[in-house]
Amino acid sequence: MANDLLSARETCRILGISQATLYAYVSRGLLESRPGTDHRSRLYLRQDVERLAQRKRVGRGAARGAAQSLDRGLPVLETRISLIRPDGPYYRGRSAIAMARDGATLEDVARQLWDCGGLDPFATAFEPQWPANVAATATDAALPPLERAMAAIPLLALDVRHSFNSAPRVRHEIAATLLRHNAALLVAQPPFAGPVHRLLAQCWKPDDEGFAELVRAALVVCADHELNVSAFAARVVASTGAHLHATVCSGLAALSGPRHGGATARAYALIADARDADSARDFIAMRWQRGDDLPGFGHALYPHGDPRAAELLIRVRSLHAGTPGLASLETIITATEEVSGQRPNIDFMLAAICHLNALPATPALVMFAAGRLAGWLAHVLEQQAQGRLIRPRASYAGVAPETSTRAD
């Protein structure tokens, strides 16, 4: 792992910058520094340095700029759905953090994201049982949540008569049913006509109002985050004109990857390992110094801390004040900030909620998937209303075709 860490001098040489500029890059969140073996020098992860060097080489040309735009670079499309600011995401102009504090439910957020106006798509009649062709799969608790949902949702589409209807009211009603169906599938329960946070909380900690409120807030702040990987995947599929159920499956498939939805499980494991260590601080410092990442900490779009995580942390501190679980969690958070300068992100807090409530890692992913579906559907509805196919061009960098030298 030593070769994966660079000294400040080597980093400056690769980037072609001075040490003063290097420190500025660190303060702006473009690079992370780690303590050297003597605890006075600083080291930098080679892959981060090389990625930044590549971005510097790309230049500002339109074609070259597009090459970096797919990795948190230049904007690639216009949206009216959400805006990311240092104080958190905004849903069509309304702060997600403020909505969570004001008691909004996931359904309230969905109406905002989908631009429903005065119509409530959740007020339509709702069948509380699964169709016969999906009942066995939908209630099979032995299946992993995402796989269960991805298996059942395409079959549910077969019973939707107006899958391709372009009327906003019809599409919003289909989306509302799909939001509820997805949540029920994620926890292997029958369809539930009440708020999604009530369904999830009742499955995990029945009749615990404080926990239900925590789940509600988590769903609200997770509902959308601009063009994240799963939202973009859903938009690409939506641009083909595919029905809502198909687009949701693409979002779930993207979420299943370890670098997206799997981040909650990695954060859960980090918390468990740190709590089991003789010294949480020494454990965190050892990982950081050898070049390992710290799952659940830091966010490229929030270099000064993830406001969504900060909001949930306030609630956790109030709900679990004075408990050993919270004390150990605070130790991990403090140690990580002292060692790496990083603060908790949303993945960490979802995992922390599970730890504090004696739950396995799976509910963290379920909360993320149940909440984020509202955002996917918003992006899908917007993309299909635009009526344009997303089809970027590739910049070929492979072997050049052979040129014929045959004489005429």
Side-chain angles (χ1 to χ4, degrees):
M1 294 296 292
N3 292 335
D4 291 335
L5 295 171
L6 301 173
S7 68
R9 178 176 295 181
E10 291 171 313
T11 300
C12 289
R13 178 183 59 79
I14 292 174
L15 294 175
I17 59 175
S18 66
Q19 288 215 359
T21 301
L22 174 60
Y23 299 147
Y25 280 3
V26 172
S27 68
R28 289 159 52 195
L30 298 176
L31 279 176
E32 295 174 352
S33 67
R34 306 181 182 214
T37 54
D38 58 5
H39 297 287
R40 293 190 302 273
S41 60
R42 307 299 293 180
L43 300 175
Y44 304 85
L45 202 60
R46 180 184 294 275
Q47 65 181 24
D48 292 345
V49 174
E50 292 177 346
R51 184 183 299 116
L52 183 57
Q54 181 180 7
R55 288 185 176 182
K56 285 169 62 66
R57 290 193 297 267
V58 164
R60 297 186 178 183
R64 289 179 175 267
Q68 72 177 119
S69 65
L70 296 182
D71 184 14
R72 298 185 180 92
L74 301 173
V76 297
L77 57 80
E78 185 177 276
T79 181
R80 296 177 181 271
I81 295 168
S82 64
L83 168 70
I84 295 176
R85 294 178 53 176
D87 59 338
Y90 281 71
Y91 302 152
R92 292 190 184 271
R94 292 186 63 186
S95 165
I97 307 301
M99 292 186 76
R101 291 176 181 172
D102 291 343
T105 64
L106 180 61
E107 290 76 10
D108 294 328
V109 168
R111 285 186 284 266
Q112 175 74 9
L113 289 171
W114 303 346
D115 196 21
C116 292
L119 297 176
D120 183 4
F122 294 96
T124 57
F126 187 78
E127 175 57 53
Q129 294 182 341
W130 292 119
N133 61 335
V134 302
T137 299
T139 56
D140 186 352
L143 294 173
L146 297 186
E147 284 73 9
R148 184 169 50 243
M150 285 190 286
I153 286 175
L155 297 177
L156 290 172
L158 300 177
D159 291 331
V160 180
R161 293 181 299 162
H162 306 294
S163 294
F164 296 98
N165 192 311
S166 60
R169 180 186 62 79
V170 174
R171 299 181 71 73
H172 289 159
E173 289 177 355
I174 295 173
T177 299
L178 190 46
L179 185 83
R180 287 168 163 167
H181 278 171
N182 177 68
L185 288 168
L186 290 171
V187 289
Q189 294 294 310
F192 180 66
V196 167
H197 73 275
R198 293 285 179 191
L199 170 66
L200 302 185
Q202 195 64 19
C203 286
W204 300 327
K205 292 196 73 176
D207 304 320
D208 188 325
E209 187 60 28
F211 178 73
E213 271 294 290
L214 188 57
V215 173
R216 179 196 61 77
L219 294 177
V220 169
V221 299
C222 285
D224 192 59
H225 209 231
E226 194 217 68
L227 281 187
N228 56 86
V229 176
S230 49
F232 188 64
R235 284 194 82 122
V236 171
V237 174
S239 76
T240 70
H243 56 73
L244 298 186
H245 290 67
T247 63
V248 162
C249 286
S250 65
L252 289 168
L255 190 64
S256 68
R259 296 177 64 185
H260 192 11
T264 55
R266 295 173 61 225
Y268 187 94
L270 178 73
I271 294 172
D273 291 343
R275 291 174 72 174
D276 291 342
D278 292 336
S279 166
R281 193 187 190 287
D282 290 347
F283 171 77
I284 296 294
M286 177 189 66
R287 285 184 60 104
W288 189 245
Q289 289 171 10
R290 72 187 181 198
D292 292 351
D293 64 346
L294 299 174
F297 287 89
H299 196 292
L301 300 180
Y302 300 114
H304 302 297
D306 187 339
R308 302 168 299 173
E311 174 64 20
L312 294 183
L313 183 56
I314 291 172
R315 294 171 178 273
V316 160
R317 283 170 171 162
S318 174
L319 192 60
H320 296 276
T323 63
L326 181 62
S328 65
L329 198 69
E330 296 280 18
T331 299
I332 295 169
I333 292 172
T334 300
T336 302
E337 186 166 3
E338 289 177 353
V339 168
S340 70
Q342 294 183 331
R343 296 176 180 175
N345 60 31
I346 189 64
D347 299 315
F348 178 88
M349 286 312 305
L350 294 176
I353 289 171
C354 293
H355 271 286
L356 290 171
N357 290 280
L359 297 171
T362 300
L365 176 59
V366 169
M367 283 186 280
F368 192 92
R372 188 56 57 88
L373 192 99
W376 295 341
L377 287 167
H379 284 280
V380 166
L381 292 167
E382 182 180 67
Q383 186 64 44
Q384 294 189 339
Q386 292 174 356
R388 293 197 299 269
L389 186 70
I390 296 178
R391 202 299 191 187
R393 292 298 309 279
S395 176
Y396 181 69
V399 177
E402 292 185 7
T403 302
S404 175
T405 58
R406 186 178 60 184
D408 292 337

